[in-house]
Amino acid sequence: MASVPFLALACGACSDAQKERPWIVDRFDDIKVIRYEVPGFEALPLEQKELIYYLAEAAKCGRDILFDQNCVANLPVRRTLETIYACYEGDRTTAEWKALEKYLKKVWFANGIHHHYSNDKFKPEFTEEYLLSVIESIPEERFGELNALRGEVCVAIFDPNVYRTRLNQTAGEDLLWTSSSNYYSNVRQAEAEAFYEAMAAADAGNPEPVSYGLNSQLVKEEKTNRLYERVWKVGGMYGPAIEQIVGWLEKAEAVAAEPQKSNIAALINYYRTGDLKEFDRYNIGWVRDTVSNVDFVNGFIEDYGDPLGRKASWEANVNFRDSAACRRTEIISANAQWFEDHSPVDAAFRKPVVKGVSAKVITVAMLGGDCYPATPIGINLPNADWIRKEYGSKSVTIDNITYAYDKAAHGNGFNEEFVLRAEDRERIDRYGKQADDLHTDLHECLGHGSGQLLPGVSPAALRSYSSTLEETRADLFGLYYIGDPKLIELGLVPSFDVAKAGYADYILNGMMTQLARIEPGKDVEESHMRNRKLIAEWCYEHGKADRVIEWVEENGKRYIVVNDFERLRELFGEMLHEVQRIKSEGDYEAGKALVEQYAVKVDPELHREVLDRYAALHIEPYGGFVNPEYEPVRDAEGRITDVRISYPADYAAQMMHYSTDYSFLPNRN
């Protein structure tokens, strides 16, 4: 599971030369594109640099997969617009050209035609007539096979009733029929649920249950109505891209040391066979490897994009350990059993023995797939509950990414505009980074790995609400414990003021400022946003009688303030007790009621106010990144003697480079 930032954070120092370069390299619509540095790369041993280079290349090769997973029209749309961008010789100063260019930048950023957070289809600010006129000005041979898809591209861009949302989570609707993601083809929700329930039933009693459906598209034949899976593997669906990934993984395997060498071999075997049991074998080896300095994620991992919570998007992340920053995660990991034993949940839902919990702070070296351009700031894997229970989990907090966020946000006026009380602003300024770091560590390291399902409860029991409730559970775990005296005893925080800083910011974001990420009239759809709203609204409602959290109006503006931080921590514990029960028992109806009551609907007047106040600050609510580039240095015999790193500052150039050199799939898959 991955967590996304709710506050800009900071990390270690960078050089004076790094400080001189601008952190924000592009701005458009509601997005800022940021560069990130990779401090410490130059000092790594050659074999680790070479390993990072090969893994970074593998991380670029699956980009097309994610585009196609997000919507079947994405690759034709992207490639048509990229051909225009590369070849158009007309006036590039007109308003419509600028609108087309902005639309393409948004498609790159979201890995498709739907917003990466709201899931709504982008609305073009240029006309179909203009697009066709631009296309007609370019020789047909430059478009090649795309010529035959021109009509489909126009429908995908301009028809508001086609591909309306990438991910529909509206209760009572057929979620597959109304979602535009490409995980299912011609399949109704009830059919898909029955298909996988039958698989799970045949596997009942297996102590090592397979994550059925994780790496495949489910298809229904038109003539026979037969349902079958197209597996994502070498020789299967997405085979050409996966072959490229495997080629670079083989190079990485050749230079890796044990146990990583064997783990890479297991991942390659999984990619070749598509066998999910092989994926489990790889995950077990990966979670046991706590000694490798260089680490990576590569594969079909997170299921947030599937309304049924089964299909996984492709993602990649290459990183190495930030040894100096790992002290806090090592302390947390060493005390994992204490945190589990003292969790405010029913004893039956706690793990009697916490196994294999490891955590570290990392420096990311390359982002790919569903981690690029937007990326989580923390990751906890693997996701299979039985592997977590038997072998543990591995958590990371990404320090250089949070540092880049912090530098890009410096001096933007946000706290002065939205935080009413001076004492809260002062605490956030002094302890905000520490609170966010610890919350992320606890969320990833212990929150996702805590608790257990009761015997016989399916990991998929919560269905479309699973992702939201899992993120809620992990966030509550982190929120509850950043205010625990144990953290003072362990030397991780100086006082309860750290928790106060984190609590004030979390409630503000969950109830108010994250609304800047939503279009007027829309509900909250994204799982992490629902999670934060659910927690903040539930605690507001349950602490209302005692004014634990309170709305205050001053000078015509609304503010949300926390009056009783100690009671708020108790509310976090009470809510965690209930959310863990829901997950452990697989109580779908209770989970649905919780999410629908507190996490979905938006107050339109408050929403309008937040949007106006954000607009006055000229702050983009979303951020993503350009990747560094790695260039091997070779001797006369062709052997790599060094790997050089550079930091591009041109977002469009990097995207066009990736589309030219790392695009391996056909327009239709």
Side-chain angles (χ1 to χ4, degrees):
M1 298 289 180
S3 71
V4 295
F6 66 85
L7 180 73
L9 312 177
C11 72
C14 65
S15 69
D16 290 338
Q18 291 168 343
K19 291 177 183 177
E20 291 170 1
R21 291 195 289 269
W23 288 93
I24 299 177
V25 301
D26 206 343
R27 303 180 112 116
F28 50 92
D29 206 57
D30 56 358
I31 291 162
K32 56 182 170 289
V33 181
I34 310 164
R35 65 174 177 84
Y36 67 91
E37 306 285 355
V38 189
F41 175 79
E42 290 89 346
L44 293 174
L46 174 59
E47 61 270 18
Q48 292 186 22
K49 288 184 178 180
E50 190 174 356
L51 178 60
I52 287 173
Y53 168 66
Y54 294 140
L55 292 172
E57 291 298 298
K60 300 174 190 176
C61 291
R63 181 169 177 256
D64 280 356
I65 295 175
L66 181 65
F67 271 88
D68 194 73
Q69 287 180 316
N70 283 343
C71 181
V72 69
N74 281 339
L75 288 175
V77 168
R78 190 195 83 196
R79 288 167 175 167
T80 296
L81 295 177
E82 287 172 341
T83 302
I84 293 170
Y85 191 78
C87 301
Y88 181 58
E89 296 182 355
D91 188 351
R92 295 191 177 215
T93 65
T94 66
E96 284 209 292
W97 172 264
K98 293 297 183 183
L100 187 150
E101 183 181 42
K102 181 173 77 171
Y103 185 90
L104 174 56
K105 288 183 176 183
K106 289 162 66 175
V107 167
W108 282 331
F109 192 91
N111 295 290
I113 62 175
H114 300 91
H115 196 282
H116 73 292
Y117 237 69
S118 73
N119 298 306
D120 294 327
K121 189 165 81 168
F122 295 131
K123 296 176 182 177
E125 298 170 31
F126 55 95
T127 65
E128 184 173 354
E129 291 73 22
Y130 176 75
L131 176 65
L132 291 173
S133 70
V134 170
I135 290 175
E136 290 298 326
S137 73
I138 299 171
E140 284 192 14
E141 59 266 22
R142 298 303 301 266
F143 289 96
E145 295 178 359
L146 290 169
N147 284 307
L149 299 174
R150 190 172 300 177
E152 294 180 41
V153 167
C154 286
V155 168
I157 294 174
F158 296 104
D159 190 332
N161 297 312
V162 177
Y163 308 128
R164 292 180 63 182
T165 180
R166 180 173 63 89
L167 174 64
N168 181 25
Q169 300 184 84
T170 305
E173 297 186 9
D174 188 316
L175 303 184
L176 302 192
W177 215 248
T178 53
S179 296
S180 301
S181 56
N182 196 25
Y183 295 123
Y184 304 88
S185 179
N186 195 36
V187 179
R188 293 284 187 176
Q189 179 178 344
E191 294 172 321
E193 288 176 339
F195 182 86
Y196 287 114
E197 284 169 4
M199 283 187 168
D203 202 29
N206 182 0
E208 301 179 357
V210 174
S211 301
Y212 290 113
L214 191 73
N215 65 333
S216 66
Q217 181 194 58
L218 184 62
V219 180
K220 184 171 77 172
E221 286 184 339
E222 294 258 0
K223 294 181 179 179
T224 66
N225 289 331
R226 179 178 72 93
L227 269 67
Y228 67 95
E229 291 183 307
R230 298 178 66 204
V231 178
W232 305 326
K233 63 174 184 174
V234 172
M237 189 174 181
Y238 301 141
I242 295 174
E243 287 175 7
Q244 296 291 328
I245 296 168
V246 166
W248 287 106
L249 289 178
E250 288 174 335
K251 292 179 182 293
E253 180 190 3
V255 300
E258 293 292 357
Q260 195 165 57
K261 180 185 288 289
S262 295
N263 293 338
I264 295 173
L267 179 59
I268 291 170
N269 191 48
Y270 162 63
Y271 270 137
R272 291 194 182 282
T273 64
D275 185 346
L276 286 167
K277 291 184 179 179
E278 288 299 306
F279 184 56
D280 288 342
R281 185 169 74 87
Y282 159 71
N283 278 319
I284 292 168
W286 178 83
V287 80
R288 283 174 159 176
D289 177 11
T290 59
V291 298
S292 297
N293 189 53
V294 174
D295 207 349
F296 72 103
V297 174
N298 188 301
F300 304 104
I301 309 295
E302 303 288 4
D303 56 18
Y304 299 113
D306 175 11
L308 301 188
R310 285 195 176 274
K311 308 294 180 183
S313 60
W314 188 88
E315 69 177 60
N317 174 305
V318 185
N319 62 82
F320 56 93
R321 189 188 306 268
D322 183 340
S323 299
C326 280
R327 176 182 170 271
R328 67 176 190 268
T329 54
E330 290 168 356
I331 292 172
I332 290 170
S333 298
N335 288 274
Q337 190 66 59
W338 185 94
F339 286 104
E340 184 76 1
D341 292 344
H342 291 81
S343 174
V345 305
D346 191 291
F349 307 145
R350 299 182 199 141
K351 288 180 177 174
V353 179
V354 177
K355 298 179 181 178
V357 172
S358 66
K360 58 186 177 180
V361 180
I362 63 167
T363 297
V364 75
M366 181 60 62
L367 303 169
D370 218 359
C371 292
Y372 172 81
T375 180
I377 59 169
I379 300 170
N380 176 273
L381 293 172
N383 287 330
D385 282 291
W386 74 268
I387 297 179
R388 290 174 179 274
K389 182 178 180 180
E390 295 300 323
Y391 298 97
S393 61
K394 191 156 61 177
S395 304
V396 298
T397 302
I398 309 176
D399 230 19
N400 59 327
I401 290 296
T402 60
Y403 181 75
Y405 272 127
D406 180 71
K407 299 303 290 185
H410 183 70
N412 64 12
F414 175 88
N415 286 344
E416 289 76 11
E417 175 61 34
F418 287 103
V419 181
L420 176 63
R421 299 185 304 206
E423 62 265 33
D424 286 329
R425 292 196 297 271
E426 291 167 5
R427 271 195 297 263
I428 290 171
D429 183 61
R430 184 173 183 181
Y431 297 116
K433 171 194 172 357
Q434 193 172 9
D436 283 351
D437 284 347
L438 282 169
H439 181 260
T440 301
D441 293 339
L442 290 163
H443 172 114
E444 298 295 351
C445 177
L446 303 182
H448 282 308
S450 67
Q452 62 180 349
L453 302 180
L454 294 183
V457 174
S458 168
L462 300 180
R463 290 180 275 178
S464 60
Y465 299 99
S466 178
S467 295
T468 294
L469 291 169
E470 175 58 23
E471 292 303 317
T472 299
R473 193 176 69 91
D475 256 6
L476 285 168
F477 194 98
L479 289 166
Y480 180 77
Y481 275 119
I482 62 171
D484 197 292
K486 182 70 172 180
L487 268 63
I488 299 175
E489 176 189 325
L490 294 173
L492 293 173
V493 299
S495 70
F496 188 62
D497 278 349
V498 175
K500 287 182 178 181
Y503 291 176
D505 182 74
Y506 192 96
I507 296 300
L508 170 63
N509 187 55
M511 294 187 71
M512 192 175 183
T513 55
Q514 72 170 358
L515 297 180
R517 299 181 168 195
I518 301 173
E519 291 185 15
K522 297 292 186 180
D523 291 338
V524 181
E525 291 289 345
E526 201 275 336
S527 294
H528 295 85
M529 292 179 71
R530 282 187 167 191
N531 139 51
R532 292 189 286 265
K533 189 173 191 298
L534 170 57
I535 292 173
E537 296 283 0
W538 188 95
C539 290
Y540 171 74
E541 184 67 27
H542 286 74
K544 202 170 186 179
D546 300 321
R547 297 175 56 237
V548 175
I549 302 169
E550 185 178 21
W551 284 106
V552 176
E553 186 168 334
E554 188 171 293
N555 298 323
K557 296 179 180 180
R558 278 178 280 189
Y559 300 87
I560 192 77
V561 298
V562 178
N563 293 319
D564 190 338
F565 291 98
E566 289 80 4
R567 176 59 185 143
L568 179 56
R569 179 175 181 257
E570 292 175 358
L571 288 170
F572 290 145
E574 292 167 15
M575 190 179 184
L576 177 57
H577 184 279
E578 173 61 6
V579 173
Q580 182 64 62
R581 181 199 67 79
I582 289 170
K583 176 163 184 176
S584 294
E585 295 180 353
D587 190 344
Y588 171 78
E589 292 300 329
K592 173 183 176 182
L594 204 59
V595 174
E596 294 296 334
Q597 180 176 353
Y598 295 106
V600 178
K601 296 300 178 183
V602 176
D603 177 345
E605 292 184 5
L606 176 64
H607 192 189
R608 184 70 266 164
E609 179 183 335
V610 171
L611 291 172
D612 289 345
R613 290 165 69 179
Y614 245 91
L617 292 174
H618 304 288
I619 298 174
E620 298 87 359
Y622 300 102
F625 297 88
V626 289
N627 277 320
E629 297 288 345
Y630 297 94
E631 180 186 2
V633 178
R634 301 180 185 273
D635 62 16
E637 285 75 36
R639 293 171 300 198
I640 293 179
T641 59
D642 196 9
V643 178
R644 293 175 182 155
I645 187 171
S646 60
Y647 298 103
D650 190 327
Y651 167 70
Q654 181 161 98
M655 290 297 183
M656 290 295 285
H657 163 51
Y658 285 180
S659 292
T660 300
D661 295 342
Y662 298 94
S663 192
F664 304 109
L665 295 183
N667 295 314
R668 291 289 192 216
N669 293 278

